[in-house]
């Protein structure tokens, strides 16, 4: 009896020219024909992808490496959203709401304060007595003023000297060169300056410009870290620009007062009528006796003028809203500095 064909699950049935004739197989037992068909259906071979193949293994490694690099890149460098104007406005408003910002006047004062000095002049009592006996009044108009005690007066012969006046000066060169008004130091026997750090030093007059009521002082000693003021041209200064006047009104200070430039190229004649000053800056920042010689500064703390006079038709010598300053170009020329 003929044995039926055997089928192996590990070897597929061959096809092609060498395969057994199907007609011959058909002539065999019909039961034998149906049996192999059932077997091939239930035990057909399954092809499995094996990572032992080098190409597949390296492909998998490359894919995993690419995925890992992408995840790290996204994690370390997140997508940045482009800033818009609304974002900037919101940040600015948040800062303004949560932080107190200094005013422009405060910043201007901080910038100019290290360069502002108190100027005190003294005359001897004997000169006052001689002038009074001769009926001429105080020498060069000097007379005691009720502005408080001058610093160091008790230890510098207060029985022989009286206070001539208190004014203000501003350091324009860090070697101790100071600008002030001529009427503050005119006729004085001794001049004393007090720097912002409290250092007291005697000073001498090194130059004058009577037509602009200006005097240049040289201090005998200066602080180690003396800072000079920054001077700015008045070429672009105009009415409405904000300014700050710093000085020692009635000996109190340093004091600051804010205002605006009221006009340019003004003229002013002193109450004594001796001479007329021209090309002055008119301003409305409060100024009183003692402010004379002090700086008039912009909101950047840069000096544009030297306070020199106030307009008051009454004998009160108090501020009514009109002050005058010599432009810094004229003041710098008095110290021999080149123009802007």
């Amino acid at each position: 009896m003929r044995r039926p064909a055997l089928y192996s699950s590990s070897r597929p049935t061959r096809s092609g020219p060498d395969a057994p004739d199907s007609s011959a197989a058909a002539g065999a037992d019909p039961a034998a024909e149906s049996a192999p068909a059932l077997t091939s259906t239930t035990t057909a071979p399954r092809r499995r992808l094996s990572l032992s193949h080098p190409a597949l293994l390296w492909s998998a490694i490359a894919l995993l490496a690419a995925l890992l690099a992408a995840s790290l890149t996204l994690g370390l460098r997140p997508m940045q959203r482009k800033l818009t104007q609304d974002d900037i406005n919101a940040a600015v408003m948040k800062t303004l709401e949560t932080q107190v910002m200094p005013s422009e006047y405060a910043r201007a004062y901080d910038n100019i304060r290290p360069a502002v000095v108190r100027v005190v002049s003294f005359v001897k009592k004997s000169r006052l007595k001689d002038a009074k006996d001769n009926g001429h009044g105080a020498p060069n108009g000097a007379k005691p003023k009720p502005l408080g005690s001058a610093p160091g007066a008790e230890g510098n012969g207060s029985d022989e000297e009286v206070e001539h006046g208190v004014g203000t000066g501003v350091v324009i060169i860090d070697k101790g060169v100071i600008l002030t008004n001529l009427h503050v130091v005119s006729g004085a026997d001794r001049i004393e300056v007090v720097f912002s750090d409290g250092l007291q030093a005697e000073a001498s007059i090194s130059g004058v410009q009577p037509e602009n009521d200006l005097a240049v002082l040289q201090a005998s000693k200066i602080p180690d870290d003396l800072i000079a003021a920054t001077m700015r041209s008045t070429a672009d200064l105009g009415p409405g620009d904000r300014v700050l006047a710093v000085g020692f009104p009635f000996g109190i200070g340093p004091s600051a007062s804010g205002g605006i430039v009221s006009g340019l190229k003004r003229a002013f004649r002193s109450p004594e009528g001796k001479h007329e000053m021209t090309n002055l800056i008119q301003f409305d920042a409060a100024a009183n006796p003692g402010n004379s010689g002090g700086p008039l500064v912009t909101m950047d703390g840069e000096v544009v003028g030297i306070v020199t006079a106030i307009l008051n038709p009454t004998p009160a010598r108090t501020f009514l809203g009109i002050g005058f300053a010599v432009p810094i170009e004229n003041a710098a020329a008095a110290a021999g500095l080149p123009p802007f």
Side-chain angles (χ1 to χ4, degrees):
M1 181 177 182
R2 187 177 181 179
R3 297 179 59 188
L6 298 179
Y7 294 88
S8 173
S9 60
S10 61
R11 182 178 302 172
T13 305
R14 290 185 301 171
S15 60
D18 297 334
D21 190 2
S22 57
S23 60
D29 188 1
E33 180 181 0
S34 60
L38 181 61
T39 304
S40 62
T41 302
T42 55
T43 60
R46 296 181 181 179
R47 294 177 177 265
R48 296 183 181 180
L49 294 177
S50 175
L51 291 181
S52 60
H53 195 284
L56 293 177
L57 180 61
W58 285 111
S59 298
I61 293 175
L63 178 61
L64 291 175
L67 293 175
L68 179 61
S71 63
L72 290 176
T73 302
L74 293 176
L76 296 177
R77 299 174 57 186
M79 295 291 292
Q80 293 184 354
R81 186 172 62 88
K82 185 178 180 180
L83 288 177
T84 64
Q85 188 60 46
D86 291 339
D87 296 331
I88 297 174
N89 294 340
V92 172
M93 292 302 298
K94 183 65 175 179
T95 301
L96 294 177
E97 292 173 358
T98 57
Q99 297 185 15
V100 179
M101 306 296 291
S103 70
E104 289 184 298
Y105 288 114
R107 292 196 297 268
Y109 178 81
D110 289 339
N111 288 338
I112 192 61
R113 176 66 187 95
V116 177
V117 300
R118 175 173 174 153
V119 181
V120 186
S121 59
F122 301 91
V123 295
K124 294 181 179 179
K125 284 184 177 181
S126 59
R127 292 183 62 202
L128 291 176
K129 185 177 183 301
D130 292 342
K132 183 177 181 180
D133 292 342
N134 294 332
H136 298 297
N140 295 322
K143 60 181 180 179
K145 296 180 175 64
L147 299 180
S149 301
E154 294 80 1
N156 290 290
S158 59
D159 292 338
E160 298 296 329
E161 293 179 338
V162 293
E163 186 180 295
H164 176 189
V166 175
T168 309
V170 57
V171 178
I172 59 172
I173 301 177
D174 58 9
K175 294 182 179 180
V177 179
I178 300 167
L179 269 177
T180 188
N181 280 153
L182 181 58
H183 72 260
V184 173
V185 296
S186 177
D189 292 310
R190 186 171 64 87
I191 303 170
E192 188 174 71
V193 295
V194 184
F195 293 94
S196 61
D197 65 348
L199 176 67
Q200 301 178 11
E202 291 194 4
S204 57
I205 300 175
S206 60
V208 295
Q209 195 181 78
E211 64 273 19
N212 287 314
D213 190 25
L214 293 171
V216 182
L217 306 180
Q218 175 62 61
S220 59
K221 58 181 179 179
I222 62 175
D224 294 335
D225 55 350
L226 181 60
I227 299 176
T230 301
M231 296 178 286
R232 193 191 107 174
S233 171
T234 61
D236 60 347
L237 193 68
D241 286 341
R242 283 176 289 185
V243 287
L244 183 77
V246 182
F248 293 84
F250 301 106
I252 303 172
S255 300
S257 57
I260 63 170
V261 174
S262 303
L264 301 171
K265 301 185 182 302
R266 300 296 197 233
F268 173 77
R269 184 177 294 276
S270 64
E272 296 80 8
K274 293 181 179 179
H275 69 278
E276 184 180 58
M277 291 186 290
T278 59
N279 192 34
L280 299 176
I281 302 171
Q282 178 188 339
F283 62 91
D284 69 351
N288 286 285
N291 276 105
S292 295
L296 185 72
V297 303
T298 64
M299 294 298 94
D300 295 324
E302 298 174 338
V303 182
V304 291
I306 300 297
V307 177
T308 189
I310 57 176
L311 179 63
N312 189 337
T314 72
R317 297 182 68 215
T318 55
F319 186 67
L320 291 181
I322 298 179
F324 298 102
V326 179
I328 196 60
E329 288 89 345
N330 299 30
L337 298 178
F340 294 96

